[in-house]
Amino acid sequence: MPLSEEYRRQRVEQFEQFEREAQRDTMWEWLRAAGEIIVWTLAGLACIGLAFHTSDVRMGWVWWWLGFVVWVGGVSAALLATYRRGQARGDW
C-alpha cells in the first residue's frame, strides 16, 4: 500500500527537523571543545609564564613542567571527552 502524500511530507519535515537539531548539537559540541582547548592552553601558558617571573631556577622549572602538564593533559582530556560524547551521540 503506497504512503499518502501528506504522511510522506510530514515524515520528511520531521527528519529535516531532526537533522537540523543534530547539526546544531554537533556545532555546539565543536565550540565547547574549542573553548576547553583554549582554556587549558591558556592555563598552561600562565603557569609557564610564571616560570619566567621567578628568581629561583628550581621553582622556575617546577612552574615550567607544571604548565606543560596542565597544557598537554588538559587538551588531551578535552579531546578525549569530546570524542566520547560524539560517540555516545552517534556523530562517529
Side-chain angles (χ1 to χ4, degrees):
M1 176 175 200
L3 298 174
S4 69
E5 184 63 30
E6 180 181 340
Y7 177 73
R8 190 181 77 66
R9 186 173 29 84
Q10 287 175 350
R11 295 293 290 177
V12 167
E13 289 173 1
Q14 184 181 23
F15 286 131
E16 287 174 352
Q17 178 184 358
F18 290 154
E19 179 66 21
R20 283 191 304 271
E21 290 174 1
Q23 287 177 350
R24 183 196 67 216
D25 292 344
T26 301
M27 180 57 65
W28 279 114
E29 190 63 39
W30 281 111
L31 290 174
R32 178 182 176 182
E36 289 178 2
I37 289 170
I38 289 170
V39 166
W40 284 114
T41 301
L42 290 176
L45 287 176
C47 291
I48 290 173
L50 289 173
F52 292 106
H53 288 287
T54 184
S55 58
D56 184 20
V57 174
R58 288 184 188 161
M59 198 63 194
W61 280 111
V62 168
W63 281 113
W64 177 272
W65 285 107
L66 179 66
F68 181 74
V69 168
V70 167
W71 182 359
V72 173
V75 169
S76 299
L79 291 175
L80 181 61
T82 300
Y83 178 74
R84 287 183 178 171
R85 287 190 300 264
Q87 265 189 333
R89 210 173 43 257
D91 287 346
W92 42 75

Coordinates of all heavy atoms in Angstrom, one line a residue:
M1 N 0.8 -1.2 0.0 CA 0.0 0.0 0.0 C 0.9 1.2 0.0 O 1.7 1.4 0.9 CB -0.9 0.0 1.2 CG -1.7 1.2 1.4 SD -2.8 1.0 2.8 CE -4.0 2.2 2.4
P2 N 0.7 2.1 -0.9 CA 1.6 3.3 -1.0 C 1.2 4.3 0.1 O 0.1 4.4 0.6 CB 1.2 3.9 -2.4 CG -0.1 3.3 -2.8 CD -0.2 2.0 -2.1
L3 N 2.2 5.1 0.5 CA 2.1 6.1 1.5 C 1.3 7.3 1.0 O 1.5 7.7 -0.2 CB 3.4 6.5 2.1 CG 4.3 5.5 2.7 CD1 5.6 6.0 3.1 CD2 3.6 5.0 4.0
S4 N 0.5 7.9 1.8 CA -0.2 9.1 1.4 C 0.8 10.2 1.3 O 1.8 10.2 2.0 CB -1.3 9.4 2.4 OG -0.8 9.9 3.6
E5 N 0.5 11.2 0.4 CA 1.4 12.3 0.2 C 1.5 13.1 1.5 O 2.6 13.6 1.8 CB 0.9 13.2 -0.9 CG 1.8 14.3 -1.3 CD 3.1 13.9 -1.8 OE1 3.2 12.8 -2.4 OE2 4.1 14.6 -1.6
E6 N 0.5 13.3 2.3 CA 0.5 14.1 3.5 C 1.4 13.4 4.5 O 2.3 14.1 5.2 CB -0.9 14.3 4.1 CG -0.9 15.1 5.3 CD -2.3 15.3 5.9 OE1 -3.3 15.1 5.1 OE2 -2.4 15.6 7.1
Y7 N 1.3 12.1 4.7 CA 2.1 11.4 5.7 C 3.6 11.4 5.3 O 4.4 11.7 6.1 CB 1.6 9.9 5.7 CG 2.5 9.1 6.7 CD1 2.4 9.2 8.1 CD2 3.4 8.2 6.2 CE1 3.2 8.5 8.9 CE2 4.2 7.4 7.0 CZ 4.0 7.6 8.4 OH 4.8 6.8 9.2
R8 N 3.9 11.3 4.0 CA 5.2 11.3 3.5 C 5.8 12.7 3.7 O 7.0 12.8 4.2 CB 5.3 11.0 2.0 CG 6.7 10.8 1.5 CD 6.8 10.5 0.0 NE 6.6 11.6 -0.8 CZ 7.4 12.7 -0.9 NH1 8.4 12.8 -0.1 NH2 7.2 13.6 -1.8
R9 N 5.1 13.8 3.5 CA 5.5 15.1 3.7 C 5.8 15.4 5.2 O 6.8 16.0 5.5 CB 4.5 16.1 3.2 CG 5.0 17.6 3.2 CD 4.0 18.5 2.5 NE 2.6 18.2 2.6 CZ 1.8 18.4 3.6 NH1 2.2 19.0 4.7 NH2 0.5 18.0 3.5
Q10 N 5.0 14.9 6.1 CA 5.2 15.0 7.5 C 6.5 14.3 7.9 O 7.2 14.9 8.7 CB 4.0 14.5 8.3 CG 2.8 15.3 8.2 CD 1.6 14.6 8.9 OE1 1.7 13.5 9.3 NE2 0.5 15.4 9.1
R11 N 6.7 13.1 7.4 CA 7.9 12.4 7.8 C 9.1 13.1 7.3 O 10.1 13.2 8.0 CB 7.8 11.0 7.2 CG 6.7 10.1 7.8 CD 7.0 9.8 9.2 NE 8.1 8.9 9.3 CZ 8.6 8.5 10.5 NH1 8.1 8.9 11.6 NH2 9.6 7.7 10.5
V12 N 9.1 13.6 6.1 CA 10.3 14.4 5.5 C 10.5 15.6 6.4 O 11.7 15.9 6.7 CB 10.0 14.7 4.1 CG1 11.0 15.7 3.6 CG2 10.0 13.5 3.2
E13 N 9.5 16.3 6.8 CA 9.7 17.5 7.6 C 10.2 17.2 9.0 O 11.1 17.8 9.5 CB 8.4 18.3 7.8 CG 7.9 19.0 6.5 CD 6.5 19.6 6.7 OE1 5.9 19.4 7.8 OE2 6.0 20.1 5.7
Q14 N 9.8 16.0 9.5 CA 10.2 15.6 10.8 C 11.7 15.2 10.7 O 12.5 15.6 11.6 CB 9.4 14.4 11.3 CG 9.8 13.9 12.7 CD 8.9 12.7 13.1 OE1 8.4 12.0 12.2 NE2 8.8 12.5 14.4
F15 N 12.1 14.5 9.7 CA 13.5 14.1 9.6 C 14.4 15.3 9.3 O 15.5 15.4 9.8 CB 13.7 13.1 8.4 CG 13.2 11.7 8.8 CD1 12.4 11.0 8.0 CD2 13.6 11.1 10.0 CE1 11.9 9.7 8.3 CE2 13.2 9.9 10.4 CZ 12.3 9.2 9.5
E16 N 13.9 16.3 8.6 CA 14.7 17.5 8.4 C 14.9 18.3 9.7 O 16.0 18.8 9.9 CB 14.0 18.4 7.3 CG 14.1 17.9 5.9 CD 13.3 18.8 4.9 OE1 12.5 19.6 5.4 OE2 13.4 18.5 3.7
Q17 N 13.9 18.3 10.5 CA 14.0 18.9 11.8 C 15.0 18.2 12.7 O 15.8 18.8 13.3 CB 12.6 18.9 12.5 CG 12.7 19.6 13.9 CD 11.4 19.5 14.7 OE1 10.4 19.0 14.1 NE2 11.4 20.0 15.9
F18 N 15.0 16.8 12.7 CA 15.9 16.1 13.4 C 17.3 16.3 12.9 O 18.3 16.4 13.7 CB 15.6 14.6 13.3 CG 14.4 14.2 14.1 CD1 13.7 13.0 13.7 CD2 13.9 14.9 15.2 CE1 12.5 12.6 14.4 CE2 12.7 14.5 15.8 CZ 12.1 13.4 15.4
E19 N 17.5 16.4 11.6 CA 18.8 16.7 11.1 C 19.3 18.1 11.5 O 20.5 18.2 11.8 CB 18.8 16.6 9.5 CG 20.1 16.9 8.8 CD 21.1 15.9 9.1 OE1 20.8 14.7 9.5 OE2 22.3 16.2 9.0
R20 N 18.5 19.1 11.5 CA 18.9 20.4 11.9 C 19.3 20.4 13.4 O 20.3 21.0 13.8 CB 17.8 21.4 11.7 CG 17.6 21.9 10.3 CD 16.6 23.1 10.2 NE 15.3 22.8 10.8 CZ 14.3 22.3 10.2 NH1 14.4 22.0 8.9 NH2 13.1 22.1 10.8
E21 N 18.5 19.7 14.2 CA 18.9 19.6 15.7 C 20.2 18.8 15.9 O 21.0 19.2 16.7 CB 17.8 18.9 16.4 CG 16.5 19.7 16.5 CD 15.4 18.9 17.2 OE1 15.6 17.7 17.5 OE2 14.3 19.5 17.3
A22 N 20.4 17.8 15.1 CA 21.7 17.0 15.2 C 22.9 17.9 14.8 O 23.9 17.9 15.4 CB 21.6 15.8 14.4
Q23 N 22.7 18.7 13.7 CA 23.8 19.6 13.3 C 24.1 20.7 14.3 O 25.2 21.0 14.5 CB 23.4 20.2 11.9 CG 23.5 19.2 10.8 CD 23.1 19.8 9.4 OE1 22.6 20.9 9.4 NE2 23.3 19.1 8.4
R24 N 23.0 21.2 14.9 CA 23.2 22.2 15.9 C 23.9 21.6 17.1 O 24.8 22.3 17.6 CB 21.8 22.7 16.4 CG 21.9 23.9 17.4 CD 20.6 24.1 18.1 NE 20.3 22.9 18.9 CZ 19.0 22.4 19.1 NH1 18.0 23.0 18.5 NH2 18.9 21.4 19.8
D25 N 23.5 20.4 17.6 CA 24.2 19.8 18.7 C 25.7 19.6 18.4 O 26.5 19.8 19.2 CB 23.5 18.5 19.1 CG 22.1 18.7 19.7 OD1 21.8 19.9 20.0 OD2 21.4 17.7 19.7
T26 N 26.0 19.1 17.2 CA 27.3 18.9 16.8 C 28.1 20.2 16.8 O 29.3 20.2 17.2 CB 27.4 18.2 15.4 OG1 26.7 17.0 15.4 CG2 28.8 17.9 15.0
M27 N 27.5 21.3 16.3 CA 28.2 22.5 16.2 C 28.5 23.0 17.6 O 29.6 23.5 17.9 CB 27.4 23.6 15.5 CG 28.1 24.9 15.4 SD 29.7 24.9 14.7 CE 29.3 24.4 13.0
W28 N 27.6 22.9 18.5 CA 27.8 23.3 19.9 C 28.9 22.5 20.6 O 29.7 23.0 21.4 CB 26.5 23.3 20.8 CG 25.6 24.4 20.5 CD1 24.4 24.5 20.0 CD2 25.9 25.8 20.9 NE1 23.9 25.7 19.9 CE2 24.8 26.6 20.5 CE3 27.0 26.4 21.5 CZ2 24.8 28.0 20.7 CZ3 27.0 27.8 21.7 CH2 25.9 28.5 21.3
E29 N 28.9 21.2 20.2 CA 30.0 20.3 20.8 C 31.3 20.8 20.3 O 32.3 20.8 21.1 CB 29.7 18.9 20.4 CG 30.6 17.9 21.1 CD 30.4 17.9 22.6 OE1 29.2 18.1 23.1 OE2 31.4 17.8 23.3
W30 N 31.5 21.1 19.0 CA 32.7 21.6 18.5 C 33.2 22.9 19.2 O 34.3 23.1 19.5 CB 32.7 21.8 17.0 CG 32.8 20.5 16.2 CD1 31.9 19.9 15.5 CD2 34.0 19.6 16.1 NE1 32.3 18.7 15.0 CE2 33.6 18.5 15.3 CE3 35.2 19.7 16.7 CZ2 34.5 17.5 15.0 CZ3 36.1 18.7 16.4 CH2 35.8 17.6 15.6
L31 N 32.2 23.8 19.4 CA 32.5 25.1 20.0 C 32.9 24.8 21.5 O 33.8 25.5 22.0 CB 31.3 26.0 20.0 CG 31.0 26.6 18.6 CD1 29.7 27.4 18.6 CD2 32.1 27.4 18.1
R32 N 32.3 23.9 22.2 CA 32.6 23.5 23.5 C 34.1 23.0 23.6 O 34.9 23.3 24.4 CB 31.6 22.5 24.1 CG 32.0 22.1 25.5 CD 31.0 21.1 26.0 NE 31.4 20.6 27.3 CZ 30.8 19.7 28.0 NH1 29.7 19.1 27.5 NH2 31.2 19.3 29.2
A33 N 34.4 22.1 22.6 CA 35.7 21.5 22.6 C 36.7 22.6 22.3 O 37.8 22.6 23.0 CB 35.8 20.5 21.5
A34 N 36.5 23.5 21.4 CA 37.4 24.6 21.1 C 37.6 25.5 22.4 O 38.7 25.9 22.7 CB 36.9 25.4 20.0
G35 N 36.5 25.7 23.1 CA 36.6 26.5 24.3 C 37.4 25.8 25.4 O 38.3 26.5 26.1
E36 N 37.2 24.5 25.6 CA 38.0 23.8 26.5 C 39.5 23.8 26.2 O 40.3 23.9 27.1 CB 37.5 22.4 26.7 CG 36.1 22.2 27.3 CD 35.6 20.8 27.4 OE1 36.3 19.9 26.9 OE2 34.5 20.6 27.9
I37 N 39.8 23.6 24.9 CA 41.2 23.6 24.5 C 41.8 25.0 24.7 O 43.0 25.1 25.2 CB 41.3 23.2 23.0 CG1 40.9 21.7 22.8 CG2 42.6 23.5 22.4 CD1 40.8 21.3 21.4
I38 N 41.1 26.0 24.4 CA 41.6 27.4 24.7 C 41.9 27.6 26.2 O 42.9 28.2 26.6 CB 40.7 28.4 24.1 CG1 40.7 28.4 22.6 CG2 41.0 29.8 24.6 CD1 39.6 29.2 21.9
V39 N 40.9 27.2 27.0 CA 41.1 27.4 28.5 C 42.3 26.6 29.0 O 43.1 27.2 29.7 CB 39.8 27.0 29.2 CG1 40.0 26.8 30.7 CG2 38.7 28.0 28.9
W40 N 42.5 25.4 28.6 CA 43.6 24.6 29.1 C 44.9 25.1 28.5 O 45.9 25.1 29.3 CB 43.4 23.1 28.7 CG 42.4 22.4 29.6 CD1 41.2 21.9 29.2 CD2 42.6 22.2 31.0 NE1 40.6 21.3 30.3 CE2 41.4 21.5 31.4 CE3 43.5 22.4 31.9 CZ2 41.2 21.1 32.7 CZ3 43.3 22.1 33.2 CH2 42.2 21.4 33.6
T41 N 44.9 25.6 27.3 CA 46.1 26.1 26.7 C 46.5 27.4 27.5 O 47.7 27.6 27.8 CB 45.9 26.4 25.3 OG1 45.6 25.2 24.6 CG2 47.2 27.0 24.6
L42 N 45.6 28.3 27.8 CA 45.9 29.5 28.5 C 46.3 29.2 29.9 O 47.2 29.9 30.4 CB 44.7 30.4 28.5 CG 44.3 31.1 27.1 CD1 43.1 31.9 27.2 CD2 45.5 31.9 26.6
A43 N 45.7 28.2 30.6 CA 46.1 27.9 31.9 C 47.5 27.3 31.9 O 48.3 27.7 32.8 CB 45.2 26.8 32.5
G44 N 47.9 26.5 31.0 CA 49.3 26.0 30.9 C 50.3 27.1 30.6 O 51.3 27.2 31.2
L45 N 49.9 28.0 29.7 CA 50.8 29.1 29.4 C 50.9 30.1 30.5 O 52.0 30.7 30.7 CB 50.3 29.9 28.1 CG 50.4 29.1 26.8 CD1 49.8 29.9 25.7 CD2 51.9 28.8 26.5
A46 N 49.9 30.2 31.3 CA 50.0 31.1 32.5 C 51.0 30.5 33.5 O 51.8 31.2 34.1 CB 48.6 31.2 33.2
C47 N 51.0 29.2 33.7 CA 52.0 28.5 34.6 C 53.4 28.7 34.0 O 54.3 28.9 34.7 CB 51.6 27.1 34.8 SG 50.1 26.8 35.7
I48 N 53.5 28.5 32.7 CA 54.8 28.6 32.0 C 55.3 30.1 32.2 O 56.5 30.4 32.4 CB 54.8 28.2 30.6 CG1 54.6 26.6 30.5 CG2 56.0 28.6 29.8 CD1 54.4 26.1 29.1
G49 N 54.3 31.0 32.0 CA 54.7 32.4 32.2 C 55.2 32.7 33.6 O 56.1 33.5 33.8
L50 N 54.7 32.0 34.6 CA 55.2 32.2 36.0 C 56.6 31.7 36.1 O 57.4 32.2 37.0 CB 54.3 31.5 37.0 CG 52.9 32.2 37.2 CD1 52.0 31.3 38.1 CD2 53.1 33.5 37.8
A51 N 57.0 30.8 35.3 CA 58.3 30.2 35.3 C 59.3 31.3 35.0 O 60.5 31.3 35.4 CB 58.5 29.1 34.3
F52 N 58.9 32.3 34.1 CA 59.8 33.4 33.7 C 59.9 34.5 34.7 O 60.7 35.4 34.6 CB 59.4 33.9 32.3 CG 59.7 32.9 31.2 CD1 58.6 32.2 30.6 CD2 61.0 32.6 30.8 CE1 58.9 31.3 29.6 CE2 61.2 31.7 29.8 CZ 60.2 31.1 29.2
H53 N 58.9 34.5 35.7 CA 58.8 35.6 36.6 C 59.3 35.2 38.0 O 59.1 35.9 39.0 CB 57.4 36.1 36.7 CG 57.0 36.8 35.5 ND1 57.4 38.1 35.2 CD2 56.1 36.5 34.5 CE1 56.9 38.5 34.1 NE2 56.1 37.6 33.6
T54 N 60.0 34.1 38.1 CA 60.6 33.8 39.4 C 62.1 33.9 39.3 O 62.7 33.8 38.3 CB 60.2 32.3 39.8 OG1 60.7 32.0 41.1 CG2 60.7 31.3 38.8
S55 N 62.7 34.2 40.5 CA 64.1 34.3 40.5 C 64.8 33.0 40.9 O 66.0 32.9 40.8 CB 64.5 35.4 41.5 OG 64.0 35.1 42.8
D56 N 64.1 32.1 41.3 CA 64.7 30.8 41.7 C 64.6 29.8 40.5 O 63.5 29.6 39.9 CB 63.9 30.2 42.9 CG 64.5 28.9 43.4 OD1 65.6 28.6 43.2 OD2 63.7 28.2 44.1
V57 N 65.7 29.3 40.2 CA 65.8 28.4 39.0 C 65.0 27.1 39.2 O 64.2 26.7 38.3 CB 67.3 28.0 38.7 CG1 67.3 27.0 37.5 CG2 68.0 29.3 38.3
R58 N 65.1 26.5 40.4 CA 64.3 25.3 40.7 C 62.8 25.5 40.6 O 62.1 24.8 40.0 CB 64.7 24.7 42.0 CG 66.0 24.1 42.0 CD 66.3 23.5 43.4 NE 67.7 23.1 43.4 CZ 68.3 22.8 44.5 NH1 67.7 23.0 45.7 NH2 69.6 22.4 44.5
M59 N 62.4 26.6 41.2 CA 61.0 27.0 41.2 C 60.5 27.3 39.7 O 59.4 27.0 39.3 CB 60.7 28.2 42.1 CG 59.2 28.3 42.4 SD 58.7 26.8 43.4 CE 57.0 27.0 43.3
G60 N 61.4 27.9 39.0 CA 61.1 28.1 37.5 C 60.8 26.8 36.8 O 59.9 26.8 36.0
W61 N 61.7 25.8 37.0 CA 61.5 24.5 36.4 C 60.2 23.9 36.8 O 59.5 23.2 36.0 CB 62.7 23.6 36.6 CG 63.8 23.9 35.7 CD1 65.0 24.5 36.0 CD2 63.8 23.7 34.2 NE1 65.8 24.6 34.9 CE2 65.1 24.2 33.8 CE3 62.9 23.2 33.3 CZ2 65.4 24.1 32.4 CZ3 63.3 23.2 32.0 CH2 64.5 23.6 31.6
V62 N 59.9 24.0 38.1 CA 58.6 23.5 38.6 C 57.4 24.1 37.9 O 56.5 23.4 37.4 CB 58.5 23.7 40.1 CG1 57.1 23.3 40.6 CG2 59.5 22.8 40.9
W63 N 57.4 25.4 37.8 CA 56.3 26.1 37.0 C 56.3 25.7 35.6 O 55.2 25.5 35.0 CB 56.5 27.6 37.2 CG 56.0 28.1 38.5 CD1 56.7 28.7 39.4 CD2 54.6 28.2 38.9 NE1 55.9 29.1 40.5 CE2 54.6 28.7 40.2 CE3 53.4 27.7 38.4 CZ2 53.5 28.9 41.0 CZ3 52.3 27.9 39.2 CH2 52.3 28.5 40.4
W64 N 57.5 25.6 35.0 CA 57.6 25.2 33.6 C 56.9 23.8 33.3 O 56.1 23.7 32.4 CB 59.0 25.2 33.1 CG 59.2 24.7 31.7 CD1 59.4 23.5 31.3 CD2 59.3 25.6 30.6 NE1 59.5 23.5 29.9 CE2 59.5 24.7 29.4 CE3 59.2 27.0 30.4 CZ2 59.5 25.3 28.2 CZ3 59.3 27.5 29.1 CH2 59.4 26.6 28.0
W65 N 57.3 22.8 34.1 CA 56.8 21.5 33.9 C 55.3 21.4 34.3 O 54.5 20.6 33.7 CB 57.6 20.4 34.6 CG 58.9 20.2 33.9 CD1 60.2 20.6 34.3 CD2 59.0 19.5 32.7 NE1 61.1 20.2 33.3 CE2 60.4 19.6 32.3 CE3 58.2 18.9 31.8 CZ2 60.9 19.0 31.1 CZ3 58.6 18.4 30.6 CH2 60.0 18.4 30.3
L66 N 54.9 22.1 35.4 CA 53.5 22.2 35.7 C 52.7 22.7 34.6 O 51.6 22.2 34.3 CB 53.3 23.0 37.0 CG 51.9 23.1 37.5 CD1 51.4 21.7 37.9 CD2 51.8 24.1 38.6
G67 N 53.2 23.8 34.0 CA 52.5 24.4 32.9 C 52.4 23.4 31.7 O 51.3 23.3 31.0
F68 N 53.4 22.7 31.4 CA 53.4 21.7 30.4 C 52.4 20.6 30.6 O 51.7 20.2 29.7 CB 54.8 21.1 30.2 CG 55.0 20.1 29.1 CD1 55.0 20.5 27.8 CD2 55.1 18.8 29.4 CE1 55.1 19.6 26.8 CE2 55.2 17.8 28.4 CZ 55.2 18.3 27.1
V69 N 52.4 20.1 31.9 CA 51.5 19.0 32.2 C 50.0 19.5 32.1 O 49.1 18.8 31.6 CB 51.8 18.5 33.6 CG1 50.7 17.6 34.1 CG2 53.1 17.7 33.6
V70 N 49.8 20.7 32.6 CA 48.4 21.3 32.6 C 48.0 21.5 31.1 O 46.9 21.1 30.8 CB 48.3 22.6 33.4 CG1 47.1 23.4 33.1 CG2 48.5 22.4 34.9
W71 N 48.9 22.0 30.3 CA 48.5 22.3 28.9 C 48.3 21.0 28.2 O 47.2 20.8 27.6 CB 49.7 23.1 28.3 CG 49.6 23.5 26.9 CD1 48.5 23.3 26.1 CD2 50.5 24.2 26.2 NE1 48.7 23.8 24.9 CE2 50.0 24.4 24.9 CE3 51.8 24.7 26.4 CZ2 50.7 25.1 23.9 CZ3 52.4 25.4 25.4 CH2 51.9 25.6 24.2
V72 N 49.2 20.1 28.1 CA 49.1 18.9 27.3 C 48.0 18.0 27.9 O 47.2 17.4 27.2 CB 50.4 18.2 27.2 CG1 50.3 16.9 26.5 CG2 51.4 19.1 26.4
G73 N 48.0 17.8 29.2 CA 47.0 17.0 29.9 C 45.6 17.5 29.7 O 44.6 16.7 29.4
G74 N 45.4 18.8 29.9 CA 44.1 19.4 29.7 C 43.6 19.3 28.3 O 42.4 19.0 28.1
V75 N 44.4 19.6 27.3 CA 44.0 19.5 25.9 C 43.7 18.0 25.6 O 42.7 17.7 24.9 CB 45.1 20.1 25.0 CG1 44.8 19.7 23.5 CG2 45.1 21.6 25.2
S76 N 44.5 17.1 26.0 CA 44.2 15.7 25.8 C 42.9 15.2 26.4 O 42.1 14.5 25.7 CB 45.4 14.8 26.3 OG 46.6 15.2 25.7
A77 N 42.7 15.6 27.6 CA 41.4 15.3 28.3 C 40.2 15.9 27.6 O 39.2 15.2 27.4 CB 41.4 15.7 29.7
A78 N 40.3 17.1 27.1 CA 39.2 17.8 26.4 C 38.9 17.1 25.1 O 37.8 16.8 24.8 CB 39.6 19.2 26.1
L79 N 40.0 16.7 24.4 CA 39.8 16.0 23.1 C 39.2 14.6 23.3 O 38.3 14.2 22.6 CB 41.1 15.9 22.3 CG 41.6 17.2 21.8 CD1 43.0 16.9 21.1 CD2 40.6 17.8 20.8
L80 N 39.6 13.9 24.3 CA 39.1 12.6 24.6 C 37.6 12.7 25.1 O 36.8 11.8 24.6 CB 39.9 11.9 25.7 CG 39.5 10.5 26.1 CD1 39.6 9.5 24.9 CD2 40.3 10.0 27.3
A81 N 37.3 13.6 25.9 CA 35.9 13.8 26.3 C 35.0 14.2 25.2 O 33.9 13.7 25.1 CB 35.8 14.9 27.4
T82 N 35.5 15.0 24.3 CA 34.7 15.4 23.1 C 34.5 14.1 22.2 O 33.4 13.9 21.7 CB 35.5 16.4 22.3 OG1 35.6 17.6 23.1 CG2 34.7 16.8 21.0
Y83 N 35.5 13.3 22.0 CA 35.4 12.1 21.2 C 34.3 11.2 21.8 O 33.5 10.6 21.1 CB 36.7 11.4 21.1 CG 36.6 10.1 20.3 CD1 36.5 10.1 18.9 CD2 36.7 8.9 21.0 CE1 36.4 9.0 18.2 CE2 36.6 7.7 20.3 CZ 36.5 7.8 18.9 OH 36.3 6.6 18.2
R84 N 34.4 11.0 23.1 CA 33.5 10.1 23.8 C 32.0 10.6 23.7 O 31.1 9.8 23.5 CB 33.9 9.9 25.3 CG 35.1 9.0 25.4 CD 35.4 8.8 26.9 NE 36.6 7.9 27.0 CZ 37.2 7.7 28.1 NH1 36.8 8.2 29.2 NH2 38.2 6.9 28.1
R85 N 31.8 11.9 23.9 CA 30.5 12.5 23.8 C 30.0 12.3 22.4 O 28.8 12.1 22.1 CB 30.5 13.9 24.2 CG 30.6 14.1 25.7 CD 30.4 15.5 26.1 NE 31.3 16.5 25.6 CZ 32.4 17.0 26.1 NH1 32.7 16.6 27.3 NH2 33.1 17.9 25.5
G86 N 30.9 12.5 21.4 CA 30.5 12.3 20.0 C 30.1 10.9 19.7 O 29.1 10.7 18.9
Q87 N 30.8 10.0 20.2 CA 30.5 8.6 20.1 C 29.1 8.2 20.7 O 28.3 7.5 20.1 CB 31.5 7.7 20.7 CG 32.6 7.2 19.7 CD 33.4 6.1 20.4 OE1 33.6 6.1 21.6 NE2 34.0 5.3 19.5
A88 N 28.9 8.7 21.9 CA 27.6 8.5 22.5 C 26.4 9.1 21.8 O 25.3 8.6 21.7 CB 27.6 9.0 24.0
R89 N 26.7 10.2 21.1 CA 25.6 10.9 20.4 C 25.5 10.3 19.0 O 24.5 10.6 18.3 CB 26.0 12.4 20.3 CG 24.8 13.3 20.2 CD 25.2 14.8 20.3 NE 26.3 15.2 19.5 CZ 27.6 15.4 20.0 NH1 27.8 15.3 21.3 NH2 28.5 15.7 19.2
G90 N 26.5 9.6 18.5 CA 26.4 9.0 17.2 C 27.0 9.8 16.1 O 26.7 9.6 14.9
D91 N 27.8 10.7 16.4 CA 28.5 11.6 15.4 C 29.5 10.8 14.5 O 29.7 11.0 13.4 CB 29.2 12.8 16.0 CG 28.2 13.8 16.4 OD1 27.0 13.7 16.1 OD2 28.6 14.7 17.2
W92 N 30.2 9.8 15.2 CA 31.1 9.0 14.5 C 31.2 7.6 15.1 O 30.7 7.3 16.1 CB 32.5 9.6 14.5 CG 32.9 10.3 15.7 CD1 33.3 9.7 16.9 CD2 33.0 11.7 16.0 NE1 33.6 10.6 17.8 CE2 33.4 11.8 17.4 CE3 32.7 12.8 15.3 CZ2 33.5 13.1 17.9 CZ3 32.8 14.0 15.9 CH2 33.2 14.1 17.2

